[in-house]
């Protein structure tokens, strides 16, 4: 495909091309023009000689200028094979051959080259701009990686009242196994069990499970270790953590330690220092003026020992002395025993009372009369002592020794101290909220009552949040085995859904006490709780009634005609049991399940920041995290109807849009409807009503 030559003499031009083996002329664009003078005949003959052995035919194109046209004479071996006219300038509707011919001119070649260069430069500039913007533009922060318990709803079970699997009238471990699918379906990811340790049942004074005889044994009334291992395996199989009550503050008087301790005084007795003993110095037979939480003296005269022992709770629960190194070792051994079994953590019961002042001085009295004289004491010597927080840190280290990068669950430590918030915050640890408990349980919401309006709820919530260290994890509980049920203290069923809505959407961990999900109410005092025998006001019987599974006998808790605790009346009236509510998505159970699911589906609720919306009429806040839907929570507490509130104008640190899509409502009869857009500038709610709404994240 070589050029033979080119001649420009007297308007005559000569070009040469080589055809392919089929005699078809190759495209002119395949060749370069070479200018030189050519003798046609000699070159024809010369080229024929040169190409005798060439399979291709050589042709010559002779172009003659005639009146603006060019005549093309195709010469094959010296003879004229074909004659065509060729345009000198581009024209409309050019054919392919002319188009290709003109595209090979110098002008168009340069134009193409310049265009290609411009395209490459523009592409490089665009690429550079994208890379630059990617580097300098603000990016969404990476989603946090919370621990499993920071994403959890913890379901609290009072074992004795949950489900009776063997018809002896008492709930047991296998009863919990039988109901694990129910707990999983609810959405809980952890179960906190009340004490099932071996305890004594002193006639008329049994604090079931909490007068411990052996911290590393299971009371036969609740089951066996085989049952416990089955429960542990089945919870983990369902990706549910298992937490136990840890009771380090006191034991039963029938515990081996106490029996040995009272046998003889002095340090020759290994167990003497296991408890807090003192001479009964005054005429009242007590060492000082300290009172138990039930308003009676905190000292009990033991005739065997000839001394008084301290008890800050029942007189059948002598106080352990945690200043004893032997007691400290015993407690760590108990923790390790259950950790070796595979449990995921503990709640430290009555943690504020682990230590008392060592010099046993009288406590200051701040008043002379009250319903409970205990409330007149300053408590500066009998609870929240500095050593308490050191001991919590020590136990934290024990749990840490069981954590590893390959552990499916990090071990979690909870504390049970319903004391001044300033003291509760110390449980998080001395180092900016680290090194202590993971979850000091927050009892603020249990202080609600029927007169508590939205402003009251806001004060309870932010009193806690504003004092929490930045690294600390918030938690929210509305009841347990020692506190009234939420339906009772909040003033009825109308506020249950809005309270559950708030609890489920506040950061971070929420607790559900068994039966709250179906609106169980406090039962009457049955004179079973020994605290209630001191004074009916202290009775906890009503908080520990059997779980209401159905409208059958004993609410489906037990087939025994008389279980250990009667079921409150009204359980069989719709809808106060699981069976009746399971088919109703608008019931208390259905609403709570929907809320727990939203905690998982909406990452802003799961781990997002919280922004306060200031309002006395509604309790409202926003949860948000970059890259995820923003969620606004609006609820009405108190008995007044909220006329119209603009929640877009009262968030000092966050911009709320004028409207958002509703994703949850507490009441199906509300004006706000799930899936519809609601105007956040004109929010109207009745008592106990509330909703969640979302809008998409928009990068600023």
């Amino acid at each position: 495909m070589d050029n033979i030559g080119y001649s420009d003499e007297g308007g005559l031009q000569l070009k040469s091309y080589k055809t392919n083996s089929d005699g078809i002329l190759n495209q002119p664009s395949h060749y370069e023009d070479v200018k030189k003078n050519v003798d046609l005949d000699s070159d024809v003959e010369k080229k024929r000689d040169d190409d005798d052995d060439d399979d291709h035919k050589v042709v010559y194109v002779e172009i003659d200028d005639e009146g603006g046209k060019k005549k093309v004479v195709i010469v094959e071996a010296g003879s004229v094979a074909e004659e065509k006219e060729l345009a000198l300038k581009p024209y409309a509707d050019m054919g392919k051959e002319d188009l290709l011919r003109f595209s090979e001119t110098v002008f168009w070649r340069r134009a193409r080259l310049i265009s290609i260069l411009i395209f490459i430069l523009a592409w490089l500039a665009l690429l550079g701009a994208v890379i630059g913007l990617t580097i300098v533009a603000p990016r969404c922060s990476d989603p946090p990686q919370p621990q499993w318990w920071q994403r959890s709803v913890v379901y609290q079970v009072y074992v004795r009242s949950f489900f009776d699997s063997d018809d002896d009238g008492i709930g047991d471990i296998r009863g919990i196994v039988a109901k694990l699918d129910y707990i999983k379906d609810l959405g809980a990811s952890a179960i906190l069990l009340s004490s099932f340790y071996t305890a004594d049942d002193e006639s008329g004074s049994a604090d079931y499970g909490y007068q411990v005889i052996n911290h590393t044994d299971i009371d036969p009334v609740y089951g066996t270790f085989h049952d416990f291992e089955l429960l542990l395996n089945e919870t983990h199989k369902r990706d549910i953590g298992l937490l136990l009550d840890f009771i380090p503050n006191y034991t039963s008087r029938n515990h081996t330690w106490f029996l040995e301790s009272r046998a003889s005084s002095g340090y020759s007795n290994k167990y003497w220092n296991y408890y807090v003993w003192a001479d009964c110095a005054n005429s009242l037979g007590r060492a000082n003026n300290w009172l138990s939480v039930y308003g009676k003296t905190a000292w009990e005269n033991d005739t065997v020992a000839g001394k008084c022992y301290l008890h800050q709770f029942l007189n059948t629960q002598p106080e352990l002395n945690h200043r004893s190194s032997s007691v400290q070792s015993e407690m760590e051994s108990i923790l390790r025993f259950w950790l070796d079994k595979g449990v995921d953590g503990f709640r430290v019961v009555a943690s504020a009372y682990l230590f008392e002042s060592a010099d046993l001085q009288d406590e200051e009295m701040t008043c002379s009369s009250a319903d409970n004289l205990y409330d007149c004491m300053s408590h500066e010597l009998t609870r929240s002592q500095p050593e308490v927080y050191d001991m919590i840190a020590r136990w934290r280290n024990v749990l840490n020794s069981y954590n590893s990068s390959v552990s499916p669950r990090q071990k979690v430590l909870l504390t049970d101290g319903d004391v001044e918030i300033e003291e509760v915050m110390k449980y998080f640890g001395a180092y900016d909220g680290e090194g202590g408990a993971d979850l000091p349980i927050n009892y603020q919401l249990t202080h609600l009552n029927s007169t508590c309006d939205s402003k009251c709820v806001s004060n309870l919530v932010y009193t806690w949040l504003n004092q929490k260290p930045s690294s600390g994890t918030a938690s929210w509980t509305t009841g347990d085995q020692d506190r009234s049920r939420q339906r009772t203290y909040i003033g009825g069923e109308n506020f249950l859904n809005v309270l559950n809505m708030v609890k489920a959407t506040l950061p971070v961990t929420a607790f559900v006490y068994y039966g709250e999900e179906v609106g169980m109410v406090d039962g009457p005092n049955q004179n079973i709780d020994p605290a209630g025998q001191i004074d009916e006001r202290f009775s906890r019987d009503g908080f520990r009634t059997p779980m209401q599974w159905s409208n059958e006998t004993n609410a489906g808790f037990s087939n025994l005609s008389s279980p250990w605790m009667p079921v409150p009346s009204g359980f069989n009236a719709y809808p106060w049991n699981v069976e009746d509510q399971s088919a109703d998505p608008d019931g208390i159970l259905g609403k709570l399940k929907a809320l727990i699911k939203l905690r998982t589906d909406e990452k802003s609720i799961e781990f997002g920041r919280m922004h306060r919306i200031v309002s006395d009429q509604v309790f409202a806040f926003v949860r948000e995290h970059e890259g995820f839907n923003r969620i606004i929570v609006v609820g009405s507490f108190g008995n007044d109807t909220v006329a119209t509130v603009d929640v877009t104008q009262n968030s000092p640190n966050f911009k709320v849009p004028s409207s958002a899509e509703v994703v949850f409502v507490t009441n199906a009869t509300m004006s706000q409807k799930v899936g519809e857009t609601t105007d956040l500038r004109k929010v109207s709610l009745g008592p106990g009503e509330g909703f969640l709404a979302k809008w998409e994240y928009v990068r600023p």
Side-chain angles (χ1 to χ4, degrees):
M1 299 181 185
D2 301 326
N3 269 356
I4 299 299
Y6 174 89
S7 175
D8 187 4
E9 298 177 354
L12 181 65
Q13 296 178 332
L14 178 66
K15 293 183 181 178
S16 64
Y17 299 95
K18 184 182 293 183
T19 63
N20 60 24
S21 59
D22 296 324
I24 300 172
L25 186 66
N26 285 333
Q27 296 293 341
S29 58
H30 292 171
Y31 305 96
E32 295 180 358
D33 294 340
V34 180
K35 290 185 178 181
K36 72 176 187 177
N37 292 328
V38 180
D39 182 272
L40 180 59
D41 292 335
S42 63
D43 276 357
V44 169
E45 294 300 324
K46 181 177 185 298
K47 183 59 187 170
R48 174 177 290 182
D49 294 340
D50 292 342
D51 290 338
D52 281 344
D53 298 328
D54 195 343
D55 291 335
H56 297 79
K57 297 178 181 179
V58 178
V59 297
Y60 293 89
V61 182
E62 187 176 354
I63 306 172
D64 191 7
D65 189 353
E66 294 181 356
K69 299 284 186 177
K70 285 189 176 181
K71 183 182 293 184
V72 180
V73 180
I74 302 176
V75 181
E76 180 180 0
S79 63
V80 176
E82 187 178 358
E83 189 175 291
K84 294 182 180 180
E85 290 186 352
L86 189 66
L88 294 174
K89 298 179 181 180
Y91 59 92
D93 299 325
M94 285 187 297
K96 180 179 178 181
E97 292 182 358
D98 285 343
L99 183 62
L100 290 174
R101 180 174 56 81
F102 283 114
S103 69
E104 288 300 310
T105 63
V106 174
F107 172 80
W108 287 110
R109 286 183 179 180
R110 289 176 179 173
R112 283 199 303 275
L113 179 61
I114 293 172
S115 298
I116 291 171
L117 290 174
I118 291 174
F119 173 79
I120 293 173
L121 291 174
W123 185 85
L124 290 174
L126 180 60
L127 179 63
V130 170
I131 294 173
L133 289 173
T134 302
I135 294 173
V136 303
R139 292 178 291 176
C140 294
S141 59
D142 293 332
Q145 300 298 320
Q147 294 290 348
W148 68 272
W149 46 267
Q150 293 174 316
R151 304 189 301 269
S152 290
V153 171
V154 181
Y155 191 76
Q156 300 183 69
V157 172
Y158 188 66
V159 179
R160 196 176 183 87
S161 293
F162 193 60
F163 186 67
D164 173 17
S165 71
D166 56 6
D167 295 332
D168 63 355
I170 298 172
D172 46 53
I173 294 173
R174 280 195 172 268
I176 301 170
V177 175
K179 298 297 184 180
L180 282 178
D181 287 337
Y182 166 79
I183 296 173
K184 179 67 175 179
D185 184 60
L186 179 65
S189 48
I191 300 173
L192 171 59
L193 298 183
S194 65
S195 171
F196 52 76
Y197 311 122
T198 302
D200 65 339
D201 185 5
E202 297 184 27
S203 179
S205 60
D207 188 8
Y208 294 106
Y210 291 85
Q211 290 175 189
V212 181
I213 292 177
N214 190 337
H215 291 80
T216 57
D217 196 15
I218 296 174
D219 197 311
V221 75
Y222 299 120
T224 65
F225 271 105
H226 176 74
D227 297 334
F228 176 78
E229 289 164 1
L230 175 64
L231 172 63
L232 189 62
N233 291 335
E234 291 297 319
T235 54
H236 287 171
K237 186 184 297 183
R238 291 167 174 79
D239 197 26
I240 297 174
L242 188 64
L243 312 177
L244 306 183
D245 263 0
F246 175 49
I247 310 168
N249 201 49
Y250 44 73
T251 69
S252 164
R253 290 189 298 197
N254 290 323
H255 197 294
T256 300
W257 298 343
F258 187 80
L259 296 176
E260 293 289 343
S261 182
R262 75 197 304 198
S264 63
S265 61
Y267 290 101
S268 60
N269 179 0
K270 171 187 174 181
Y271 295 98
W272 169 253
N273 204 35
Y274 271 45
Y275 295 86
V276 181
W277 294 98
D279 291 329
C280 302
N282 58 34
S283 59
L284 297 177
R286 56 192 187 187
N288 56 32
N289 72 340
W290 294 357
L291 300 177
S292 74
V293 296
Y294 304 117
K296 305 297 182 180
T297 178
W299 297 96
E300 185 73 12
N301 190 355
D302 185 78
T303 57
V304 175
K307 301 279 187 179
C308 283
Y309 63 83
L310 178 67
H311 62 90
Q312 294 214 60
F313 295 89
L314 297 172
N315 63 358
T316 54
Q317 296 169 325
E319 203 93 354
L320 284 165
N321 175 23
H322 284 277
R323 290 189 173 88
S324 164
S325 59
S326 296
V327 171
Q328 294 173 11
S329 296
E330 296 278 13
M331 293 298 108
E332 290 188 17
S333 295
I334 292 167
L335 291 173
R336 292 186 184 278
F337 175 86
W338 293 106
L339 288 167
D340 287 340
K341 292 288 184 184
V343 302
D344 301 299
F346 303 91
R347 173 176 64 176
V348 182
V349 175
S351 52
Y353 300 89
L354 290 172
F355 287 88
E356 307 81 20
S357 174
D359 59 14
L360 304 182
Q361 295 296 309
D362 279 355
E363 189 118 68
E364 178 185 358
M365 302 294 290
T366 59
C367 61
S368 58
S369 63
D371 290 339
N372 182 0
L373 281 177
Y374 180 76
D375 297 331
C376 285
M377 305 192 77
S378 66
H379 309 301
E380 293 180 357
L381 304 177
T382 54
R383 73 185 186 199
S384 302
Q385 300 297 294
E387 297 95 328
V388 169
Y389 310 107
D390 295 335
M391 186 58 66
I392 296 298
R394 179 169 178 166
W395 293 335
R396 169 74 269 165
N397 288 334
V398 172
L399 269 66
N400 286 346
S401 69
Y402 283 78
N403 290 335
S404 70
S405 59
V406 296
S407 175
R409 292 180 184 82
Q410 299 294 291
K411 307 304 180 183
V412 58
L413 186 64
L414 290 67
T415 52
D416 165 37
D418 189 5
V419 292
E420 296 82 2
I421 291 180
E422 296 82 359
E423 299 299 330
V424 175
M425 295 303 162
K426 295 178 183 178
Y427 285 115
F428 282 113
Y431 304 102
D432 189 29
E434 297 182 355
D438 299 297
L439 283 176
I441 297 177
N442 171 15
Y443 292 104
Q444 284 291 95
L445 293 180
T446 65
H447 300 156
L448 289 168
N449 55 52
S450 59
T451 64
C452 195
D453 58 11
S454 297
K455 182 178 180 180
C456 166
V457 174
S458 181
N459 288 338
L460 290 173
V461 168
Y462 288 105
T463 298
W464 171 273
L465 289 177
N466 291 341
Q467 297 185 62
K468 182 184 68 65
S470 58
S471 60
T473 299
S475 66
W476 309 93
T477 188
T478 49
D480 65 17
Q481 65 214 38
D482 296 323
R483 290 164 182 82
S484 181
R485 291 187 175 277
Q486 60 184 27
R487 181 179 157 203
T488 299
Y489 64 69
I490 203 171
E493 60 197 77
N494 292 337
F495 294 92
L496 290 179
N497 284 337
V498 71
L499 178 56
N500 285 335
M501 180 188 77
V502 167
K503 180 175 66 174
T505 54
L506 284 168
V508 175
T509 304
F511 288 79
V512 176
Y513 183 47
Y514 83 97
E516 283 183 347
E517 70 270 28
V518 293
M520 283 176 58
V521 70
D522 291 353
N525 176 33
Q526 300 293 336
N527 205 32
I528 296 175
D529 181 9
Q533 296 168 21
I534 297 172
D535 191 313
E536 186 174 348
R537 293 173 302 156
F538 303 134
S539 176
R540 297 163 292 181
D541 290 345
F543 322 146
R544 302 174 176 184
T545 57
M547 177 66 176
Q548 295 169 193
W549 294 105
S550 69
N551 56 17
E552 299 174 353
T553 303
N554 298 321
F557 162 71
S558 175
N559 291 324
L560 191 71
S561 58
S562 299
W564 84 279
M565 177 83 72
V567 180
S569 60
F571 72 88
N572 53 354
Y574 183 86
W576 308 119
N577 61 74
V578 173
E579 184 178 65
D580 284 345
Q581 290 200 34
S582 292
D584 182 8
D586 290 324
I588 300 167
L589 178 61
K591 291 293 187 182
L592 183 58
K593 289 168 68 173
L595 285 164
I596 294 174
K597 185 176 185 300
L598 277 171
R599 284 173 58 93
T600 303
D601 293 346
E602 297 293 347
K603 299 306 179 183
S604 287
I605 299 178
E606 185 177 19
F607 49 65
R609 290 176 290 273
M610 176 178 174
H611 299 276
R612 183 177 188 175
I613 294 177
V614 181
S615 174
D616 290 343
Q617 295 177 280
V618 295
F619 177 59
F621 55 91
V622 172
R623 300 293 307 279
E624 62 86 18
H625 193 280
E626 289 90 348
F628 299 100
N629 292 330
R630 276 77 191 279
I631 305 293
I632 187 169
V633 182
V634 186
S636 174
F637 292 83
N639 296 313
D640 296 328
T641 298
V642 177
T644 302
V645 177
D646 184 352
V647 296
T648 69
Q649 300 298 316
N650 298 310
S651 179
N653 301 314
F654 192 81
K655 181 175 176 57
V656 177
S658 60
S659 62
E661 179 190 348
V662 177
V663 295
F664 175 85
V665 294
T666 59
N667 190 330
T669 62
M670 292 169 50
S671 60
Q672 294 85 2
K673 304 296 181 184
V674 172
E676 297 182 0
T677 299
T678 189
D679 190 341
L680 298 178
R681 298 165 300 179
K682 300 176 182 179
V683 174
S684 180
L685 296 173
E689 293 183 343
F691 66 88
L692 306 181
K694 71 177 181 180
W695 65 95
E696 291 185 356
Y697 168 79
V698 178
R699 189 181 184 123

